[in-house]
Amino acid sequence: MKIAESWLREWVNPDLDTAALGHQLTMLGHEVDAIDYEGEGLADVVIAEVIAVEKHPDADKLSVCKVSDGNDELIEIVCGAPNVVKGMKTPLAKPGVHLPNGMKLRKAKIRGVVSNGMLCSAVELGLGDESDGIMHLADDAATGTPLVDYLQLPDAAIDLDLTPNRGDCFSVLGIARDLAALTGDDLKDPAVAAVPATIDAVQPVELIEPAGCPRFAGRVIRGIDPGAKSPVWMTERLRRSGLRAISPVVDITNYVMLEFGQPLHAYDASLLNGSVRPRLASAGEKVTLLDEKEVELRDDTLIITDDSGPIGIAGIMGGLSTAVTDKTTDVFFEAAFWPQDFMAGRARGYGMHTDASLRFERGVDPEGQGRAVERATELLLGIAGGQAGPLVVDSAEEHLPGRPRIMLRKDHVTRLLGLDIANDEIARILEGLELSVEPHDGGWKVTPPGHRFDISIEADLIEEIARIHGYDSIPETTAFAQSPLETVTETHVELERASTSLIARDYQEVITYSFIDAEANMAFTGIESELVLSNPISSEMSVMRGSLWPGMVAAAAANVARQQDRVRIFEASKSFHGTLEARTEVLRLAGLATGSALPEQWGSKSENVDFFDIKADVEAILLLASQAGEVTFAATEHPALQTGQAAEIRRGGVVIGVVGKLHPNLAKRYDLKRAVYVFELDARAALASLAPSATPISRYPAIRRDLAVIVDDNVTASEIVDAVAASVPELIQGVRIFDIYKGPGIEAGRKSVAIGLILQETSRTLTDDDADTAMAAATSKLKDKFAAELRD
């Protein structure tokens, strides 16, 4: 918000220069974005009257003007402004004058005609950013008068960045209140003397929606002069505040809004039909606003109506059908209180943002409507004449907001601010902010005024005390705290490291709800949950999850529905088990993959992810904490997984997780047409680790022997590896399966498994006899345990 420094000083005038004033406003919490100085260097610019205008003899776009600066001799000026006319008053800069833009004027011959100075635009004088020509001053501007005297310059426009909670400070009065409380200077009395009624004209008002409009002040003024002009002091204050002067009635509503923070609206009283009725709109109603745009209304929007229908959107913008024009002689001023609950977000919902909506959304003083209308009446009668009817204020007191009494404790002030402020100083600060203060045991009972919507709890009061006492007056205290070193352990791998490993394998982390549908929980776990929420968000979120899979599968389905064919996601979170009386929480790491195994590329054929792809991802995680061979996979049955493609994951004989293909029934339920593979690990068990130990490397060479055996189909690779490794453990250092064959030459229900034995000793070089002994022992073990047959 921008305000003129001279306007602010009219309300409170501290002994501070402009820069110091800006600093104090910033320290009050009203950050000063910029200070624009106006009128400096214009002392020699005077007001001139254009006496005659003729076309330049050698330039179509130039005029030769005779102007008077109040002396007997006329001055000849060559002017290129398209708006120059005979009789207008405008600023004149004579030769020798330095303008704010750096230009020094001198006599100049322009296309053969001597120009003795320049008629100036607002931009050239530093009094605006735009101009359509030279400044056109009011007819009452005295010729020869210094421009700075006429425009009350120099002055500064202070641009403030106000916080949203301080709706009361979107006005000159609001800023002045804070400044007076800070400096102790006297604040101008904001009361406005009542304007006596000279006619009986009133506009009927019906509060049929009192909760949405608990107060509505109005007044009829008849017989104003439609040709009247706003005085220069008003138009200048509006301009320095960022508003353009339009007409006396509109300028007055803007002026009072900036001065008191209460938006007003002016209607052409002759265009109103019947009673004015603020109410909620009916869906589908339409209104044409002042910007000539037709808006279709929603049923959550407060509007103003008369017998003809909607005539404006409350607190946002008036309607075109009752707008004031340059022919208006009868005016109805309206100032209403629209509660924040009814205003928040309404303007943005229609793609609008107005000065009025900004203030109503943040809160206006519920007691200031009558005062605003009185002030507007006073100004209009002084500018355009007319006769005023009585001020009418309709109120529904039960719907007006009350201000809570707050208990402020002295010891809490001291504890939160870190310094002891005298009781008298605290009371002075609060009373200076127009708060009602009543001493009480150990503190005060404080009642905020109606315009302070931001004060509702004790901490708000302490913030006000700090603000006015001065943040720079609060001593700096250096805090000391012990920061012991964390114990570094090798007994577990950090979950973040496992997550990073999955991310490196092209997974993305997701976070899903801990409460899910009871039916889904049963489908994925096979157990009916007893952890039922007493007040669930919805029936689909009624139990605590027993697995991370339901949320992840739902997330995958949502992505697939949005044409994401390749989905690889993981989650690290808790699952919940047991009963309400004896419940347990298990930290789990779960993942899901569906779609192609690799991103689409030209260098390889696209293949769908399979069981072994996701098994490899699981092994990559487990190898962070365990040694190769320590983890095994064994076929299992699981309610959420397809039979034959499900395996439990064991570590040291203890089950730590499960991996497999999502059951087709569940895939169909979530409309997943491609195969989905999932895993879920007990994170603490899977990532438990031992301190690494070193083993000497043998100085003697290793040798390899291969054999192929035929076994039943149901014999697993891990069973074969374990049997071979146990046959001669002192010689066999490693077992590798490098081929599995089924087909011609192999009996149905059987398979050929090719095995490589890595043989090595730490104390000697092995001989062929040693290798033959190991091969014979391994073969014998496989025959005894699995009825294996050597394959030729």
Side-chain angles (χ1 to χ4, degrees), residues 74-156:
L74 296 181
I75 303 170
E76 188 171 72
I77 303 286
V78 177
C79 179
N83 66 327
V84 62
V85 293
K86 178 182 177 182
M88 74 181 296
K89 302 288 184 67
T90 188
L92 168 66
K94 299 178 182 179
V97 172
H98 286 267
L99 295 180
N101 61 6
M103 180 187 297
K104 181 181 180 181
L105 295 181
R106 56 183 178 82
K107 283 187 179 181
K109 182 176 288 188
I110 302 175
R111 294 287 184 94
V113 178
V114 175
S115 181
N116 298 283
M118 183 172 71
L119 303 180
C120 302
S121 69
V123 173
E124 292 161 337
L125 297 175
L127 301 179
D129 297 326
E130 300 178 356
S131 70
D132 295 326
I134 58 176
M135 287 184 68
H136 194 159
L137 303 177
D139 293 341
D140 63 358
T143 301
T145 302
L147 182 68
V148 293
D149 293 344
Y150 178 70
L151 297 182
Q152 300 177 16
L153 295 171
D155 198 0

Side-chain angles (χ1 to χ4, degrees), residues 609-687:
V609 66
D610 61 19
F611 179 89
F612 297 102
D613 291 319
I614 198 165
K615 178 174 177 285
D617 296 331
V618 172
E619 288 177 329
I621 300 169
L622 297 176
L623 285 175
L624 296 173
S626 57
Q627 297 178 357
E630 186 181 354
V631 176
T632 59
F633 295 79
T636 189
E637 297 286 335
H638 193 284
L641 302 178
Q642 182 174 336
T643 303
Q645 294 209 49
E648 62 183 16
I649 307 167
R650 297 174 181 169
R651 182 179 182 187
V654 178
V655 177
I656 61 171
V658 64
V659 60
K661 181 181 178 183
L662 187 68
H663 198 286
N665 290 340
L666 283 173
K668 183 177 180 181
R669 174 176 174 175
Y670 286 89
D671 199 24
L672 292 165
K673 296 179 173 58
R674 304 175 80 171
V676 178
Y677 293 89
V678 292
F679 71 84
E680 189 168 57
L681 299 170
D682 181 329
R684 299 193 189 283
L687 298 177

